Amino acid sequence: MNGEQFRTEQKESTVGSAVITVNSKPYIMMAGEVHNSNSSSTEAMEPIWQKAKKLNMNTLLLPVTWEMLEPEEGQFEFRLVDGLIAQARECEMHIVFLWFGAWKNAQCYYAPAWVKCNPERFWRAEVQKGKKKVNLEKFHGMPYTTLSSHCEETLQADSRAFAMLMKHIKEVDEKEHTVIAVQVENEPGLQGAAREHSDYADELFGKEVPSAFVAYMRENTATMRKDVKAAVEQGQESGSWEEVFGTAAEEIFHTYSVAGYIDRVAEAGKKEYNLPMTVNAWLDKGQEPGMFPSGGPVARMMEVWKYRAPHIDVLAPDIYVQNFCEVCEEYTKMGNPLFIPETAVHSHVAPRLVYVIGHHHAIGFAPFGFEDMGQPFSATDSYLFGVDTSDPLLSVPQDIEEYAWYGHTLNSMMSLLTSRYGTGELQAVISEQPEQDMMIFGQYGFKILMAVPFIPRKDGVCLALQIAENEFYLIANGCMIAPFSTNPEKPHVDILSLEEGEFRDGVWHMTRRLNGDEVASMRYDKPTLLKIKLFSYQ
Ligand code: DGJ
């Protein structure tokens, strides 16, 4: 980890264990990302902070745009940044700023006018040779342009602006530490082709691949996707990009360029203020590069990013696809801490918040456009969220009272949760993966039934946190829980006590002692926090 706010702690288990710290205390970002334009004024943000409070979020992800930060070259405007920080402090929340510099969704929407109007100085990427703008056939003829990752002038200007931003944040916020991390660029990369096709890019592509990079790739094939691994293994040990990386050459070449560019922007920023830095990915869904932004930190290119971008602490997936759990799994490879800066606000979102904390010990989770959580979906939302009839939860907006309950409960358990990060004492299961229905803690275990006919809710989740050999806190919803013993000499289990309750100022407060019918079947159809004590015998 490079960011000084990261603490890495390896306890006995194999689960990822990097946590972010705020004022020296481990911290989980139970966050929300605002719609792109809402942090362009503090006025627009007023009601949004209130909604975030209502949902019991502790952090907001807010775009800061190059065009508004440096409207004229060399003239910087920090009033908006200061205003957003002041609002966060008033609400006792934290901020992750998203630097919308050269890239925003693989385009250059947010570059200032003085950059956009000077393509001779700030090159445009040539998706096709000689063309600064193209219509992308595979995107219904969408007009497309973006800045080139090969242009040193752009890199210098982008880095300078980002460094000024970080310097300013340090000046106004180092003591209070309201801003806890920064995302560098947004869903970077190139659409329409796997790499740029300018004469300059062609020339680089024909050159010898740096030997240290070839060696790294050949040494790190274990974590690679099958096709990338095959291309690396079958390629020559030295030579041009095509000779060394075969069928994956164009994508690896372009990723090398984009990751190298962003690393230098991050490095310039860290020199001013060493906050943890992330880069987010528009996922690949198995398509060819160019259908997703080629060069971005997709899982298939994580090895390239880890090599080329040592100043980036976290590669973060924006997850709108249905195989959420699979994506989470992939983004924990190579010791990458799990941080989800964007995800849909349909009814899977609350259980996913609990799951990523309990199962992956995630450092953060943020539904995108959370301002609209609970509202009926627009046509754009439905398209983005992949709403279809195969899964009814996709078309139902998240219940905001329930999201708020989870937010409150998890926040109230922050120190307990983070103290178990990196250990086997914190686990979770989710109904999206009904085959993973067991949590085992030494002598005891829980079998969790979800997504079965006698449990009507399909948004099941269960998190278990061990506090003693036979004692646990459980967050449960849409599930039935059956404790068992793993000890063959004491195979029987009784429940000694079961309480419903909550944490008040960090102290457990029992609201109801459960027994009789409520213990005979531990079945939950609303979010519930429990404390359970077990006993095993022969
Ligand atoms: C991913 C981007 O990173 C966000 O800024 C936003 O554009 C969403 N997609 C979709 O609205």
Side-chain angles (χ1 to χ4, degrees):
M1 288 294 112
N2 292 323
E4 66 195 1
Q5 274 69 30
F6 272 93
R7 183 171 64 89
T8 303
E9 196 175 71
Q10 202 56 54
K11 297 193 185 154
E12 74 264 30
S13 106
T14 54
V15 201
S17 57
V19 290
I20 210 162
T21 64
V22 166
N23 302 329
S24 310
K25 288 206 185 111
Y27 185 80
I28 305 163
M29 295 179 275
M30 298 170 202
E33 178 167 331
V34 299
H35 281 294
N36 295 164
S37 305
N38 283 344
S39 60
S40 63
S41 87
T42 47
E43 193 181 327
M45 280 302 296
E46 294 261 313
I48 296 172
W49 290 106
Q50 295 321 312
K51 174 107 186 210
K53 287 295 277 179
K54 204 168 154 192
L55 291 169
N56 293 311
M57 291 172 164
N58 59 24
T59 303
L60 288 194
L61 275 53
L62 304 178
V64 169
T65 70
W66 190 4
E67 64 173 359
M68 289 183 75
L69 191 92
E70 193 183 6
E72 300 294 336
E73 187 167 7
Q75 288 176 25
F76 293 90
E77 173 52 65
F78 294 112
R79 266 175 301 183
L80 178 58
V81 169
D82 293 346
L84 295 169
I85 293 176
Q87 284 182 318
R89 286 180 188 162
E90 223 175 271
C91 299
E92 296 180 336
M93 289 181 67
H94 290 277
I95 292 177
V96 174
F97 278 131
L98 314 176
W99 173 238
F100 284 12
W103 287 285
K104 159 69 178 68
N105 295 22
Q107 302 206 29
C108 54
Y109 299 107
Y110 289 95
W114 55 271
V115 171
K116 283 183 181 148
C117 295
N118 197 345
E120 283 71 37
R121 181 173 163 209
F122 303 108
W123 310 343
R124 297 295 171 100
E126 294 183 20
V127 174
Q128 290 159 24
K129 188 164 283 300
K131 295 202 175 150
K132 295 191 170 67
K133 190 159 187 168
V134 289
N135 292 309
L136 299 178
E137 252 174 59
K138 292 186 179 165
F139 291 86
H140 313 289
M142 178 182 93
Y144 178 74
T145 186
T146 196
L147 290 162
S148 168
S149 59
H150 299 298
C151 180
E152 186 62 27
E153 275 286 308
T154 310
L155 170 56
Q156 293 287 342
D158 196 354
S159 305
R160 215 164 26 238
F162 183 65
M164 289 300 285
L165 171 66
M166 294 308 293
K167 182 170 185 269
H168 183 79
I169 297 173
K170 182 172 182 173
E171 277 163 14
V172 298
D173 192 50
E174 193 182 21
K175 274 207 195 101
E176 293 220 26
H177 198 195
T178 306
V179 182
I180 52 177
V182 183
Q183 176 186 291
V184 192
E185 312 291 347
N186 191 85
E187 293 191 348
L190 180 75
Q191 272 180 281
R195 68 169 179 90
E196 295 180 24
H197 288 278
S198 62
D199 291 344
Y200 183 77
D202 283 352
E203 194 188 318
L204 283 181
F205 190 60
K207 283 198 173 153
E208 177 107 2
V209 185
S211 57
F213 178 55
V214 184
Y216 174 87
M217 290 296 273
R218 292 174 81 90
E219 277 159 23
N220 284 280
T221 54
T223 53
M224 283 177 190
R225 286 252 186 106
K226 250 192 186 165
D227 60 325
V228 180
K229 180 174 192 263
V232 171
E233 283 174 349
Q234 286 157 21
Q236 287 180 196
E237 275 183 42
S238 65
S240 72
W241 291 81
E242 218 151 18
E243 287 165 339
V244 171
F245 296 124
T247 50
E250 295 203 305
E251 189 184 2
I252 294 178
F253 166 78
H254 197 62
T255 306
Y256 188 87
S257 168
V258 173
Y261 176 113
I262 293 179
D263 190 63
R264 283 179 59 196
V265 177
E267 185 181 13
K270 281 195 170 188
K271 258 190 205 141
E272 298 298 339
Y273 188 23
N274 189 14
L275 283 185
M277 296 202 181
T278 73
V279 179
N280 65 332
W282 166 334
L283 300 179
D284 72 84
K285 302 184 199 155
Q287 305 130 310
E288 63 193 56
M291 288 303 290
F292 62 91
S294 182
V298 288
R300 48 186 284 106
M301 289 291 118
M302 268 169 85
E303 290 76 11
V304 183
W305 272 88
K306 290 286 176 194
Y307 176 84
R308 267 298 261 177
H311 296 92
I312 298 299
D313 302 288
V314 185
L315 302 174
D318 293 343
I319 315 184
Y320 296 99
V321 291
Q322 295 357 321
N323 57 338
F324 178 88
C325 299
E326 231 178 274
V327 175
C328 290
E329 198 66 50
E330 273 197 308
Y331 272 85
T332 55
K333 75 176 187 180
M334 305 182 84
N336 189 56
L338 187 63
F339 173 43
I340 298 161
E342 293 183 35
T343 195
V345 292
H346 50 52
S347 294
H348 283 294
V349 70
R352 285 176 179 179
L353 164 70
V354 179
Y355 174 74
V356 297
I357 290 173
H359 183 74
H360 285 294
H361 304 179
I363 62 167
F365 178 87
F368 176 80
F370 75 89
E371 305 91 305
D372 299 340
M373 192 186 282
Q375 305 293 318
F377 298 152
S378 66
T380 316
D381 294 335
S382 300
Y383 175 74
L384 182 68
F385 302 165
V387 167
D388 64 27
T389 50
S390 64
D391 177 354
L393 291 187
L394 294 176
S395 49
V396 180
Q398 173 62 48
D399 180 299
I400 56 171
E401 299 303 324
E402 287 199 356
Y403 198 90
W405 185 92
Y406 285 119
H408 169 76
T409 304
L410 291 163
N411 267 299
S412 74
M413 297 173 71
M414 179 75 85
S415 62
L416 263 179
L417 291 166
T418 53
S419 68
R420 266 54 180 193
Y421 264 35
T423 80
E425 292 163 15
L426 176 63
Q427 301 183 32
V429 291
I430 190 167
S431 57
E432 287 184 80
Q433 280 195 321
E435 65 289 354
Q436 288 184 16
D437 58 356
M438 215 81 98
M439 295 186 278
I440 294 178
F441 300 83
Q443 307 268 308
Y444 295 93
F446 298 97
K447 183 164 171 71
I448 314 295
L449 283 173
M450 288 185 286
V452 287
F454 58 91
I455 297 181
R457 292 192 70 134
K458 299 302 165 221
D459 55 350
V461 69
C462 185
L463 173 149
L465 186 148
Q466 186 173 29
I467 46 171
E469 198 213 1
N470 61 340
E471 214 171 350
F472 305 83
Y473 290 113
L474 301 170
I475 294 177
N477 190 16
C479 65
M480 192 167 129
I481 303 175
F484 60 87
S485 162
T486 61
N487 183 350
E489 277 155 33
K490 295 180 178 177
H492 308 300
V493 162
D494 281 356
I495 295 174
L496 287 183
S497 67
L498 184 63
E499 295 173 355
E500 261 172 20
E502 63 188 11
F503 284 93
R504 294 186 187 164
D505 296 324
V507 178
W508 174 251
H509 177 85
M510 185 267 279
T511 51
R512 202 158 69 120
R513 171 96 177 190
L514 304 175
N515 211 333
D517 291 349
E518 281 70 48
V519 162
S521 141
M522 290 179 64
R523 191 191 293 203
Y524 302 95
D525 59 7
K526 66 178 191 359
T528 310
L529 178 61
L530 301 156
K531 186 177 186 183
I532 188 169
K533 194 167 185 178
L534 304 171
F535 170 69
S536 66
Y537 56 99
Q538 198 164 24

